[in-house]
Amino acid sequence: MAESSRLCSVWVGSETGILKGVDLAKKQAFNYSDLSTLSRDQEVTALCWGDDFESEVLVGSVNRTVKTFSTEKSRFTEFRHCPGGEGPFRGLAVWNSSLITCVESGLLKVWKEGSLDSVEIPVGPDVYRMRQSPSQCHRVATGGKANDLKIWDLQRPEEPVFRAKNVRNDWLDLQVPVWIRDVQFIPGSDKVVTCTGYHQVRVYDPASPQRRPVLEVEYEEYPLTALSLTADANSVVVGNTHGQVAIIDLRQGRLLRCLKGFAGSVLSLQCHSSLPLVASCGLDRFLRVHNTQDRQLQHKVYLKSRLNCLLFSSQDKLQADGETALQDGVKEEDVEEEEDEVWADMPTVTDRAGGGKRRNESEGEPQRGAAPRRTGKTNSATQAKKTKGNTTGVTQGKKTKRKLRASS
């Protein structure tokens, strides 16, 4: 089991509280939790790396426990309870050996190593995402429902260093609602990209004199749930509640391509740091890895549980796996053909005994509600009866005329 954890390229947190490791080369998944002690309050809602070497995975649960999983030892090595605030974790991060947590009620805390003391920062209610800057680890971004984007400097936590301003009112002069679902810093700049519950992708530039977004793109009409920047940081991959995933160019603000094969809401996305790959998971219980250049489905692994979040490893061990995946990818057409073969092999369900005919139909009786069947014999008899009736009527009329003449 220890050897298997070193080969895992993707780590996934499930709704049932299980931490799953996936070896993409062999397409195998491993559970690294004690199944006998699982409960609903251990649902995994946040994941992050515990160090720069990606040898530790921090797992945030609904019961406010942050567990440290060692990929070298293949077991949990530390458990830390982080009380305060309400709601599940909306983000985890590490800064100078300190743990950063943020919960849904809007309480951000910096927990010092080896101490129970913490620095509390209220960031506003209904937080949906807290994300750390990869280049400036002392900066984090937060946002949520009716809680616009804010960038915080943990060295000076009194006030945010950037507070976004809402866009101008609509054509009815009504305020445009705010709902930040995910946020990420753009490497090599101070810019931040967000996706909203109102199907908008926005780019903010704190260095710009205006606090409104410098770029806004709308995708479809359903709430966006997750985003991730590609390896070149020129595009962003977004997913929504209807399983639609698209790649949007941030330089021109246009749709580049769409990724297919999803069913259900996409809850987490992450692009590889150097390869043109993006991993995704959601309510359909599948982990998928797509190529962002040709839209090809590279890997598809069924993990049996609803999946909330994932981590995509960027270690050198994935280079060989990524190159192999780029050459030997699983095409969508192949997946569809396999599904068609499954349906073709299933036995056909027939009606009750009697050759597939219903009882009344087999006995020659018309079905209820059906029109009576007509035959040539029935039509001839009916026509003869009508003809006979017409002839009798004509004869009776002639006799009546004769009687009238005789009486006159």
Side-chain angles (χ1 to χ4, degrees):
M1 185 67 75
E3 182 65 25
S4 64
S5 64
R6 296 190 185 99
L7 298 177
C8 292
S9 304
V10 183
W11 296 91
V12 187
S14 68
E15 192 180 73
T16 54
I18 303 175
L19 176 66
K20 298 174 180 285
V22 182
D23 184 357
L24 294 180
K26 299 180 180 180
K27 296 188 178 180
Q28 294 180 347
F30 306 93
N31 294 333
Y32 294 98
S33 299
D34 187 2
L35 303 182
S36 61
T37 60
L38 291 178
S39 59
R40 296 295 296 179
D41 61 350
Q42 297 185 28
E43 176 183 354
V44 180
T45 58
L47 292 175
C48 77
W49 296 113
D51 56 5
D52 297 334
F53 303 102
E54 298 183 358
S55 62
E56 293 181 346
V57 179
L58 300 184
V59 183
S61 304
V62 172
N63 59 3
R64 303 298 183 79
T65 301
V66 178
K67 298 178 287 186
T68 302
F69 179 83
S70 174
T71 59
E72 300 294 332
K73 301 177 182 179
S74 188
R75 61 184 177 86
F76 289 97
T77 59
E78 185 181 352
F79 297 82
R80 183 167 187 171
H81 186 59
C82 301
E86 297 179 357
F89 287 117
R90 295 304 189 183
L92 292 178
V94 176
W95 170 57
N96 288 343
S97 301
S98 299
L99 176 65
I100 306 172
T101 63
C102 184
V103 295
E104 184 181 12
S105 62
L107 184 60
L108 187 148
K109 284 190 173 186
V110 181
W111 304 85
K112 298 180 181 180
E113 184 180 13
S115 175
L116 298 178
D117 297 334
S118 62
V119 178
E120 297 185 357
I121 307 173
V123 297
D126 291 334
V127 175
Y128 270 76
R129 184 68 66 192
M130 184 274 289
R131 187 86 72 170
Q132 185 182 29
S133 172
S135 57
Q136 298 177 326
C137 297
H138 58 91
R139 288 197 171 193
V140 296
T142 61
K145 194 167 188 179
N147 186 358
D148 215 338
L149 173 68
K150 300 181 185 69
I151 300 178
W152 302 84
D153 189 345
L154 300 180
Q155 297 175 344
R156 297 171 296 170
E158 295 80 12
E159 288 291 332
V161 296
F162 175 78
R163 191 190 299 267
K165 188 177 181 179
N166 195 7
V167 296
R168 292 181 175 85
N169 294 349
D170 59 11
W171 63 281
L172 291 174
D173 199 23
L174 298 177
Q175 185 179 4
V176 178
V178 176
W179 189 2
I180 303 293
R181 294 297 300 265
D182 204 351
V183 57
Q184 189 168 354
F185 289 86
I186 300 178
S189 67
D190 295 332
K191 296 181 181 179
V192 178
V193 58
T194 66
C195 67
T196 72
Y198 301 104
H199 57 89
Q200 302 150 339
V201 176
R202 293 172 175 173
V203 178
Y204 295 86
D205 187 3
S208 174
Q210 64 172 346
R211 293 184 291 142
R212 290 191 171 98
V214 297
L215 175 68
E216 180 175 344
V217 183
E218 293 188 356
Y219 173 66
E220 291 296 335
E221 56 183 4
Y222 305 109
L224 298 177
T225 54
L227 66 81
S228 180
L229 287 167
T230 56
D232 56 6
N234 293 326
S235 305
V236 63
V237 185
V238 295
N240 63 17
T241 56
H242 279 234
Q244 297 171 327
V245 179
I247 304 175
I248 298 175
D249 188 355
L250 295 179
R251 295 168 297 181
Q252 301 179 3
R254 64 185 182 90
L255 177 65
L256 292 180
R257 59 189 68 92
C258 296
L259 305 180
K260 298 181 180 180
F262 299 89
S265 177
V266 178
L267 298 183
S268 184
L269 290 169
Q270 186 172 352
C271 295
H272 192 265
S273 59
S274 58
L275 298 175
L277 300 174
V278 57
S280 59
C281 66
L283 297 183
D284 63 354
R285 310 177 189 217
F286 279 96
L287 169 69
R288 294 178 176 85
V289 178
H290 284 82
N291 190 319
T292 57
Q293 294 180 347
D294 57 8
R295 301 183 298 179
Q296 187 176 354
L297 179 63
Q298 306 292 338
H299 302 281
K300 182 179 179 182
V301 184
Y302 182 66
L303 298 180
K304 299 182 181 180
S305 305
R306 291 185 177 183
L307 311 173
N308 293 334
C309 46
L310 64 85
L311 278 179
F312 207 163
S313 175
S314 60
Q315 295 293 331
D316 294 337
K317 64 183 178 182
L318 192 60
Q319 296 291 338
D321 299 344
E323 293 173 0
T324 304
L326 293 177
Q327 297 174 0
D328 304 327
V330 181
K331 296 183 179 179
E332 268 184 45
E333 291 79 3
D334 297 340
V335 177
E336 293 177 357
E337 289 177 1
E338 292 178 2
E339 294 177 354
D340 294 339
E341 291 177 359
V342 173
W343 285 104
D345 294 339
M346 295 179 65
T348 303
V349 179
T350 59
D351 293 336
R352 297 178 180 177
K357 295 181 180 180
R358 297 186 180 180
R359 182 178 178 182
N360 55 359
E361 187 176 354
S362 60
E363 295 176 354
E365 299 178 1
Q367 299 181 15
R368 181 178 299 178
R373 293 189 296 177
R374 297 179 180 180
T375 60
K377 183 177 180 180
T378 304
N379 293 339
S380 300
T382 305
Q383 187 67 26
K385 187 180 292 185
K386 290 182 178 180
T387 305
K388 182 178 179 180
N390 292 339
T391 305
T392 305
V394 173
T395 305
Q396 188 68 25
K398 288 182 180 181
K399 291 181 180 181
T400 304
K401 288 182 180 180
R402 291 174 185 177
K403 289 182 181 181
L404 291 174
R405 289 177 181 177
S407 61
S408 60

